[in-house]
Amino acid sequence: MARAGITGERLTQTAAELADEIGFDKVTVSAVARRLGVKDPSLYTHIENARELKVRVALLALEELADKAAAALAGRAGKDALVAFANAYRDYAKKHPGRYAASQFELDPETAANSAAPRHAEMTRAILRGYDLPEPDQTDAVRFLGSTFHGYVSLEMAGGFRHTPREADASWAWALDTLDFAVRNHSRKPT
């Protein structure tokens, strides 16, 4: 029987909040149970194991991130859409570092297909429609943008830019200008 007040949703939300505080890699069933003031076994009425707990946080993060990105994209196209999308990711990662880490958690193919993960790729493809990229260039561009956003944000969050004279925001703007330039000009290359 489930303990009064603890639901699957509350369990997931608590784990996500804990991830932001202590790091996604340190979220355990025991840590969540302590936060909720219960014994570990009482959580197993809601989850099967520690992996399921991590998957739940990952799914929550993917959904939240997709919602933020979709809201940022509304009514935008071209470079404005690319910048809004990228900024939504960066802002989410800064506000929710543990959840952002969770969004990178490896999901099994079926879970991934039924999550918000496909929305992220669809939104990136929607941005790229403004650049008139044919396949397979569009798939390459989705990967290029995603890896650039993730790489920059991961380095920034790890403190990789602290000891440089240039502000991280200025370099971020430069990176986005360069991405726009690269994708825009790639679509115009001679065949």
Side-chain angles (χ1 to χ4, degrees), residues 13-33:
Q13 188 64 40
T14 300
E17 291 166 3
L18 197 56
D20 287 338
E21 293 171 24
I22 66 172
F24 179 65
D25 60 328
K26 293 179 182 146
V27 172
T28 63
V29 174
S30 294
V32 175

Side-chain angles (χ1 to χ4, degrees), residues 73-102:
L73 281 175
R76 292 186 165 92
K79 183 180 179 186
D80 288 341
L82 186 146
V83 169
F85 186 74
N87 285 336
Y89 272 76
R90 185 175 180 228
D91 293 345
Y92 184 83
K94 286 176 157 185
K95 185 174 181 181
H96 299 291
R99 293 179 213 206
Y100 181 76

Side-chain angles (χ1 to χ4, degrees), residues 2-190:
R3 183 175 171 101
I6 297 179
T7 63
E9 184 178 301
R10 182 170 175 221
L11 172 66
T12 303
Q13 188 64 40
T14 300
E17 291 166 3
L18 197 56
D20 287 338
E21 293 171 24
I22 66 172
F24 179 65
D25 60 328
K26 293 179 182 146
V27 172
T28 63
V29 174
S30 294
V32 175
R34 277 191 304 276
R35 174 61 61 93
L36 291 169
V38 300
K39 302 265 188 222
D40 295 13
S42 63
L43 299 185
Y44 288 106
T45 58
H46 301 285
I47 57 169
E48 190 172 310
N49 53 39
R51 176 168 172 74
E52 184 181 344
L53 178 64
K54 298 261 188 180
V55 167
R56 284 175 174 235
V57 176
L59 294 174
L60 173 69
L62 286 167
E63 191 69 39
E64 289 176 341
L65 190 49
D67 290 345
K68 298 278 184 205
L73 281 175
R76 292 186 165 92
K79 183 180 179 186
D80 288 341
L82 186 146
V83 169
F85 186 74
N87 285 336
Y89 272 76
R90 185 175 180 228
D91 293 345
Y92 184 83
K94 286 176 157 185
K95 185 174 181 181
H96 299 291
R99 293 179 213 206
Y100 181 76
S103 74
Q104 306 303 311
F105 189 67
E106 186 174 350
L107 302 172
D108 66 72
E110 183 180 345
T111 301
N114 293 311
S115 74
R119 280 180 64 199
H120 295 271
E122 290 165 13
M123 285 186 282
T124 307
R125 287 184 186 280
I127 291 167
L128 292 171
R129 278 189 216 108
Y131 291 93
D132 196 30
L133 283 175
E135 281 297 350
D137 293 343
Q138 190 176 103
T139 295
D140 294 339
V142 167
R143 292 172 178 165
F144 177 55
L145 294 176
S147 60
T148 302
F149 300 158
H150 177 66
Y152 190 96
V153 166
S154 296
L155 288 170
E156 181 179 23
M157 290 174 53
F161 306 141
R162 270 186 271 166
H163 305 293
T164 58
R166 186 155 165 85
E167 289 294 320
D169 288 347
S171 295
W172 176 249
W174 184 90
L176 297 181
D177 286 344
T178 303
L179 288 172
D180 170 67
F181 179 84
V183 175
R184 189 170 11 91
N185 286 298
H186 187 80
S187 66
R188 293 187 184 141
K189 72 177 185 178

